[in-house]
Short mmCIF file of all heavy atoms in Angstrom, two decimals:
data_model
loop_
_atom_site.label_atom_id
_atom_site.label_comp_id
_atom_site.label_asym_id
_atom_site.label_seq_id
_atom_site.Cartn_x
_atom_site.Cartn_y
_atom_site.Cartn_z
N PRO A 139 -32.76 95.68 21.93
CA PRO A 139 -32.39 94.56 22.79
C PRO A 139 -33.20 94.52 24.07
O PRO A 139 -33.58 93.46 24.55
CB PRO A 139 -30.90 94.82 23.08
CG PRO A 139 -30.43 95.58 21.88
CD PRO A 139 -31.60 96.45 21.49
N SER A 140 -33.49 95.69 24.65
CA SER A 140 -34.24 95.70 25.90
C SER A 140 -35.66 95.21 25.69
O SER A 140 -36.26 94.60 26.57
CB SER A 140 -34.26 97.12 26.50
OG SER A 140 -34.85 98.02 25.57
N ASP A 141 -36.21 95.48 24.46
CA ASP A 141 -37.55 94.99 24.17
C ASP A 141 -37.56 93.48 24.05
O ASP A 141 -38.55 92.82 24.37
CB ASP A 141 -38.06 95.60 22.85
CG ASP A 141 -38.34 97.09 22.97
OD1 ASP A 141 -38.56 97.55 24.10
OD2 ASP A 141 -38.33 97.79 21.94
N ASP A 142 -36.45 92.91 23.54
CA ASP A 142 -36.37 91.47 23.36
C ASP A 142 -36.15 90.75 24.69
O ASP A 142 -36.42 89.56 24.81
CB ASP A 142 -35.21 91.11 22.42
CG ASP A 142 -35.51 91.54 21.00
OD1 ASP A 142 -36.70 91.73 20.68
OD2 ASP A 142 -34.56 91.70 20.21
N MET A 143 -35.64 91.44 25.71
CA MET A 143 -35.31 90.79 26.97
C MET A 143 -36.58 90.48 27.75
O MET A 143 -37.39 91.36 28.05
CB MET A 143 -34.40 91.70 27.81
CG MET A 143 -33.95 91.06 29.12
SD MET A 143 -32.76 92.09 30.03
CE MET A 143 -31.28 91.77 29.08
N THR A 144 -36.79 89.23 28.06
CA THR A 144 -37.95 88.82 28.84
C THR A 144 -37.59 88.84 30.32
O THR A 144 -36.44 88.97 30.71
CB THR A 144 -38.39 87.40 28.44
OG1 THR A 144 -37.33 86.48 28.78
CG2 THR A 144 -38.66 87.32 26.95
N ASP A 145 -38.62 88.71 31.16
CA ASP A 145 -38.39 88.73 32.60
C ASP A 145 -37.44 87.61 33.03
O ASP A 145 -36.68 87.77 33.97
CB ASP A 145 -39.72 88.59 33.35
CG ASP A 145 -40.56 89.85 33.23
OD1 ASP A 145 -39.98 90.91 32.93
OD2 ASP A 145 -41.79 89.78 33.44
N SER A 146 -37.47 86.48 32.32
CA SER A 146 -36.62 85.35 32.69
C SER A 146 -35.15 85.63 32.41
O SER A 146 -34.28 84.92 32.90
CB SER A 146 -37.07 84.08 31.95
OG SER A 146 -36.93 84.25 30.56
N ASP A 147 -34.85 86.66 31.61
CA ASP A 147 -33.47 87.00 31.29
C ASP A 147 -32.87 88.02 32.26
O ASP A 147 -31.68 88.26 32.25
CB ASP A 147 -33.37 87.59 29.86
CG ASP A 147 -33.71 86.56 28.80
OD1 ASP A 147 -33.36 85.38 29.00
OD2 ASP A 147 -34.33 86.92 27.80
N LYS A 148 -33.71 88.64 33.06
CA LYS A 148 -33.26 89.74 33.90
C LYS A 148 -32.84 89.26 35.29
O LYS A 148 -33.35 88.27 35.79
CB LYS A 148 -34.38 90.78 34.03
CG LYS A 148 -34.78 91.43 32.72
CD LYS A 148 -35.95 92.38 32.93
CE LYS A 148 -36.38 93.02 31.62
NZ LYS A 148 -37.57 93.90 31.79
N PRO A 149 -31.90 89.98 35.92
CA PRO A 149 -31.54 89.66 37.31
C PRO A 149 -32.76 89.86 38.22
O PRO A 149 -33.62 90.69 37.94
CB PRO A 149 -30.44 90.67 37.62
CG PRO A 149 -29.88 91.05 36.30
CD PRO A 149 -31.05 91.04 35.36
N PHE A 150 -32.80 89.11 39.29
CA PHE A 150 -33.92 89.22 40.23
C PHE A 150 -33.41 89.02 41.66
O PHE A 150 -32.38 88.41 41.89
CB PHE A 150 -34.99 88.18 39.90
CG PHE A 150 -34.51 86.76 40.03
CD1 PHE A 150 -34.52 86.10 41.25
CD2 PHE A 150 -34.01 86.07 38.93
CE1 PHE A 150 -34.06 84.79 41.38
CE2 PHE A 150 -33.54 84.77 39.04
CZ PHE A 150 -33.57 84.12 40.27
N GLY A 151 -34.17 89.52 42.61
CA GLY A 151 -33.85 89.32 44.02
C GLY A 151 -33.65 90.63 44.77
O GLY A 151 -33.33 91.66 44.17
N SER A 152 -33.83 90.58 46.08
CA SER A 152 -33.79 91.79 46.90
C SER A 152 -32.44 92.50 46.86
O SER A 152 -32.38 93.73 46.91
CB SER A 152 -34.14 91.43 48.35
OG SER A 152 -33.23 90.45 48.85
N ALA A 153 -31.36 91.75 46.78
CA ALA A 153 -30.02 92.36 46.80
C ALA A 153 -29.64 93.02 45.48
O ALA A 153 -28.65 93.75 45.41
CB ALA A 153 -28.97 91.32 47.18
N CYS A 154 -30.42 92.79 44.44
CA CYS A 154 -30.10 93.39 43.14
C CYS A 154 -30.21 94.92 43.20
O CYS A 154 -29.57 95.62 42.41
CB CYS A 154 -31.03 92.85 42.06
SG CYS A 154 -30.76 91.10 41.65
N ALA A 155 -31.02 95.42 44.12
CA ALA A 155 -31.21 96.87 44.22
C ALA A 155 -29.93 97.60 44.62
O ALA A 155 -29.77 98.78 44.34
CB ALA A 155 -32.32 97.18 45.23
N SER A 156 -29.01 96.89 45.28
CA SER A 156 -27.77 97.52 45.73
C SER A 156 -26.68 97.52 44.65
O SER A 156 -25.61 98.11 44.84
CB SER A 156 -27.24 96.81 46.98
OG SER A 156 -26.89 95.47 46.69
N VAL A 157 -26.93 96.88 43.53
CA VAL A 157 -25.96 96.84 42.44
C VAL A 157 -25.93 98.21 41.76
O VAL A 157 -26.99 98.80 41.51
CB VAL A 157 -26.32 95.74 41.42
CG1 VAL A 157 -25.41 95.80 40.21
CG2 VAL A 157 -26.25 94.38 42.08
N PRO A 158 -24.74 98.76 41.49
CA PRO A 158 -24.65 100.08 40.84
C PRO A 158 -25.46 100.12 39.54
O PRO A 158 -25.57 99.14 38.83
CB PRO A 158 -23.15 100.22 40.56
CG PRO A 158 -22.49 99.36 41.58
CD PRO A 158 -23.40 98.20 41.79
N LYS A 159 -26.03 101.30 39.27
CA LYS A 159 -26.87 101.46 38.07
C LYS A 159 -26.03 101.56 36.80
O LYS A 159 -26.51 101.25 35.71
CB LYS A 159 -27.75 102.70 38.20
CG LYS A 159 -28.70 102.66 39.39
CD LYS A 159 -29.66 101.49 39.30
CE LYS A 159 -30.63 101.49 40.49
NZ LYS A 159 -31.49 100.27 40.48
N ASP A 160 -24.80 102.04 36.93
CA ASP A 160 -23.95 102.14 35.75
C ASP A 160 -22.50 101.90 36.13
O ASP A 160 -22.17 101.75 37.31
CB ASP A 160 -24.11 103.51 35.07
CG ASP A 160 -23.99 104.66 36.05
OD1 ASP A 160 -23.14 104.60 36.94
OD2 ASP A 160 -24.76 105.64 35.91
N GLY A 161 -21.64 101.83 35.12
CA GLY A 161 -20.23 101.57 35.38
C GLY A 161 -19.91 100.09 35.33
O GLY A 161 -20.77 99.24 35.05
N ALA A 162 -18.65 99.75 35.63
CA ALA A 162 -18.18 98.37 35.53
C ALA A 162 -18.89 97.43 36.48
O ALA A 162 -19.01 96.22 36.22
CB ALA A 162 -16.67 98.33 35.80
N GLY A 163 -19.37 97.94 37.61
CA GLY A 163 -20.05 97.09 38.59
C GLY A 163 -21.54 96.94 38.37
O GLY A 163 -22.21 96.21 39.10
N SER A 164 -22.08 97.60 37.35
CA SER A 164 -23.50 97.47 37.02
C SER A 164 -23.75 96.16 36.30
O SER A 164 -22.81 95.46 35.89
CB SER A 164 -23.94 98.64 36.14
OG SER A 164 -23.30 98.56 34.87
N PHE A 165 -25.02 95.82 36.11
CA PHE A 165 -25.34 94.59 35.39
C PHE A 165 -24.80 94.63 33.97
O PHE A 165 -24.25 93.64 33.47
CB PHE A 165 -26.85 94.35 35.39
CG PHE A 165 -27.42 94.02 36.74
CD1 PHE A 165 -28.52 94.71 37.24
CD2 PHE A 165 -26.86 93.02 37.53
CE1 PHE A 165 -29.05 94.41 38.47
CE2 PHE A 165 -27.38 92.72 38.77
CZ PHE A 165 -28.47 93.41 39.26
N ASP A 166 -24.94 95.77 33.29
CA ASP A 166 -24.42 95.89 31.92
C ASP A 166 -22.90 95.81 31.91
O ASP A 166 -22.31 95.20 31.02
CB ASP A 166 -24.87 97.22 31.30
CG ASP A 166 -26.34 97.24 30.95
OD1 ASP A 166 -26.94 96.15 30.85
OD2 ASP A 166 -26.90 98.34 30.77
N GLY A 167 -22.26 96.42 32.91
CA GLY A 167 -20.81 96.39 32.99
C GLY A 167 -20.29 94.99 33.27
O GLY A 167 -19.31 94.54 32.64
N MET A 168 -20.93 94.27 34.20
CA MET A 168 -20.50 92.91 34.54
C MET A 168 -20.65 91.97 33.35
O MET A 168 -19.86 91.05 33.18
CB MET A 168 -21.30 92.39 35.73
CG MET A 168 -20.98 93.11 37.04
SD MET A 168 -21.96 92.51 38.45
CE MET A 168 -21.22 90.90 38.73
N ALA A 169 -21.64 92.23 32.51
CA ALA A 169 -21.89 91.35 31.36
C ALA A 169 -20.75 91.40 30.35
O ALA A 169 -20.61 90.50 29.53
CB ALA A 169 -23.20 91.73 30.69
N LYS A 170 -19.93 92.44 30.41
CA LYS A 170 -18.83 92.60 29.45
C LYS A 170 -17.54 91.93 29.91
O LYS A 170 -16.63 91.75 29.10
CB LYS A 170 -18.58 94.09 29.21
CG LYS A 170 -19.76 94.82 28.60
CD LYS A 170 -19.49 96.32 28.52
CE LYS A 170 -20.70 97.08 27.99
NZ LYS A 170 -20.48 98.55 27.97
N ASP A 171 -17.45 91.58 31.20
CA ASP A 171 -16.21 91.03 31.75
C ASP A 171 -16.34 89.57 32.13
O ASP A 171 -17.44 89.12 32.48
CB ASP A 171 -15.80 91.82 33.00
CG ASP A 171 -15.36 93.24 32.68
OD1 ASP A 171 -14.68 93.43 31.66
OD2 ASP A 171 -15.69 94.15 33.46
N PRO A 172 -15.24 88.81 32.10
CA PRO A 172 -15.29 87.44 32.62
C PRO A 172 -15.57 87.48 34.12
O PRO A 172 -15.36 88.51 34.78
CB PRO A 172 -13.90 86.89 32.30
CG PRO A 172 -13.03 88.09 32.14
CD PRO A 172 -13.91 89.16 31.58
N VAL A 173 -15.98 86.36 34.67
CA VAL A 173 -16.63 86.36 35.97
C VAL A 173 -15.78 86.88 37.13
O VAL A 173 -16.27 87.62 37.98
CB VAL A 173 -17.21 84.96 36.29
CG1 VAL A 173 -16.11 83.91 36.41
CG2 VAL A 173 -18.08 85.00 37.53
N ALA A 174 -14.51 86.50 37.21
CA ALA A 174 -13.68 86.97 38.33
C ALA A 174 -13.47 88.47 38.25
O ALA A 174 -13.51 89.18 39.28
CB ALA A 174 -12.35 86.24 38.35
N THR A 175 -13.27 88.99 37.05
CA THR A 175 -13.11 90.43 36.86
C THR A 175 -14.42 91.15 37.18
O THR A 175 -14.43 92.18 37.85
CB THR A 175 -12.68 90.74 35.42
OG1 THR A 175 -11.46 90.07 35.14
CG2 THR A 175 -12.51 92.23 35.21
N ALA A 176 -15.53 90.60 36.71
CA ALA A 176 -16.84 91.20 36.98
C ALA A 176 -17.12 91.26 38.48
O ALA A 176 -17.60 92.28 38.99
CB ALA A 176 -17.93 90.40 36.27
N ALA A 177 -16.80 90.18 39.20
CA ALA A 177 -17.03 90.15 40.64
C ALA A 177 -16.19 91.20 41.36
O ALA A 177 -16.62 91.80 42.36
CB ALA A 177 -16.72 88.76 41.19
N SER A 178 -14.98 91.45 40.86
CA SER A 178 -14.09 92.42 41.50
C SER A 178 -14.64 93.83 41.41
O SER A 178 -14.23 94.72 42.18
CB SER A 178 -12.70 92.37 40.87
OG SER A 178 -12.71 92.89 39.55
N ASN A 179 -15.59 94.07 40.50
CA ASN A 179 -16.20 95.39 40.36
C ASN A 179 -17.47 95.54 41.17
O ASN A 179 -18.10 96.61 41.14
CB ASN A 179 -16.49 95.66 38.88
CG ASN A 179 -15.24 95.80 38.05
OD1 ASN A 179 -14.26 96.39 38.48
ND2 ASN A 179 -15.24 95.24 36.84
N ASN A 180 -17.85 94.49 41.89
CA ASN A 180 -19.05 94.53 42.73
C ASN A 180 -18.63 94.62 44.20
O ASN A 180 -18.07 93.66 44.74
CB ASN A 180 -19.90 93.28 42.49
CG ASN A 180 -21.25 93.35 43.18
OD1 ASN A 180 -21.37 93.86 44.29
ND2 ASN A 180 -22.27 92.82 42.53
N PRO A 181 -18.85 95.74 44.87
CA PRO A 181 -18.39 95.93 46.25
C PRO A 181 -18.90 94.87 47.22
O PRO A 181 -18.22 94.55 48.20
CB PRO A 181 -18.94 97.31 46.62
CG PRO A 181 -19.15 98.01 45.31
CD PRO A 181 -19.54 96.94 44.35
N ALA A 182 -20.05 94.29 46.95
CA ALA A 182 -20.64 93.30 47.86
C ALA A 182 -19.94 91.95 47.79
O ALA A 182 -20.19 91.07 48.61
CB ALA A 182 -22.13 93.11 47.55
N LEU A 183 -19.02 91.79 46.83
CA LEU A 183 -18.33 90.51 46.65
C LEU A 183 -16.83 90.62 46.90
O LEU A 183 -16.06 89.76 46.48
CB LEU A 183 -18.57 89.98 45.22
CG LEU A 183 -20.03 89.75 44.82
CD1 LEU A 183 -20.11 89.32 43.36
CD2 LEU A 183 -20.69 88.71 45.72
N SER A 184 -16.41 91.65 47.63
CA SER A 184 -14.97 91.89 47.81
C SER A 184 -14.28 90.78 48.59
O SER A 184 -13.13 90.42 48.30
CB SER A 184 -14.74 93.24 48.49
OG SER A 184 -15.37 93.30 49.75
N THR A 185 -14.96 90.18 49.58
CA THR A 185 -14.34 89.08 50.34
C THR A 185 -14.15 87.86 49.45
O THR A 185 -13.11 87.19 49.49
CB THR A 185 -15.19 88.70 51.57
OG1 THR A 185 -15.40 89.86 52.37
CG2 THR A 185 -14.48 87.65 52.40
N LEU A 186 -15.14 87.58 48.63
CA LEU A 186 -15.04 86.46 47.67
C LEU A 186 -13.87 86.70 46.72
O LEU A 186 -13.10 85.77 46.45
CB LEU A 186 -16.34 86.32 46.88
CG LEU A 186 -16.33 85.31 45.74
CD1 LEU A 186 -16.08 83.90 46.26
CD2 LEU A 186 -17.64 85.37 44.94
N VAL A 187 -13.74 87.90 46.23
CA VAL A 187 -12.66 88.21 45.29
C VAL A 187 -11.30 88.02 45.96
O VAL A 187 -10.37 87.47 45.38
CB VAL A 187 -12.81 89.65 44.75
CG1 VAL A 187 -11.58 90.06 43.95
CG2 VAL A 187 -14.06 89.76 43.89
N THR A 188 -11.19 88.45 47.22
CA THR A 188 -9.95 88.25 47.98
C THR A 188 -9.63 86.76 48.08
O THR A 188 -8.47 86.33 47.90
CB THR A 188 -10.07 88.85 49.39
OG1 THR A 188 -10.23 90.27 49.26
CG2 THR A 188 -8.82 88.57 50.21
N ALA A 189 -10.65 85.96 48.38
CA ALA A 189 -10.46 84.51 48.52
C ALA A 189 -10.04 83.89 47.19
O ALA A 189 -9.15 83.03 47.14
CB ALA A 189 -11.76 83.87 49.02
N VAL A 190 -10.67 84.33 46.11
CA VAL A 190 -10.33 83.80 44.78
C VAL A 190 -8.88 84.11 44.43
O VAL A 190 -8.15 83.26 43.89
CB VAL A 190 -11.29 84.37 43.71
CG1 VAL A 190 -10.78 84.08 42.31
CG2 VAL A 190 -12.70 83.79 43.89
N LYS A 191 -8.43 85.30 44.77
CA LYS A 191 -7.04 85.68 44.50
C LYS A 191 -6.07 84.85 45.34
O LYS A 191 -5.04 84.38 44.85
CB LYS A 191 -6.85 87.17 44.78
CG LYS A 191 -7.52 88.09 43.76
CD LYS A 191 -7.32 89.56 44.13
CE LYS A 191 -7.96 90.48 43.10
NZ LYS A 191 -7.81 91.91 43.46
N LYS A 192 -6.41 84.65 46.63
CA LYS A 192 -5.54 83.87 47.51
C LYS A 192 -5.42 82.42 47.03
O LYS A 192 -4.38 81.78 47.17
CB LYS A 192 -6.07 83.90 48.94
CG LYS A 192 -5.71 85.18 49.71
CD LYS A 192 -6.22 85.09 51.15
CE LYS A 192 -5.68 86.25 51.99
NZ LYS A 192 -4.22 86.11 52.27
#
Side-chain angles (χ1 to χ4, degrees):
S140 59
D141 291 337
D142 290 339
M143 183 175 283
T144 64
D145 289 340
S146 62
D147 293 324
K148 297 177 181 177
F150 62 85
S152 58
C154 291
S156 64
V157 174
K159 300 299 181 185
D160 49 40
S164 67
F165 292 129
D166 288 342
M168 291 178 72
K170 298 174 183 177
D171 291 321
V173 64
T175 302
S178 70
N179 293 320
N180 188 322
L183 300 176
S184 60
T185 305
L186 173 62
V187 171
T188 296
V190 168
K191 289 178 179 178
K192 280 183 171 289

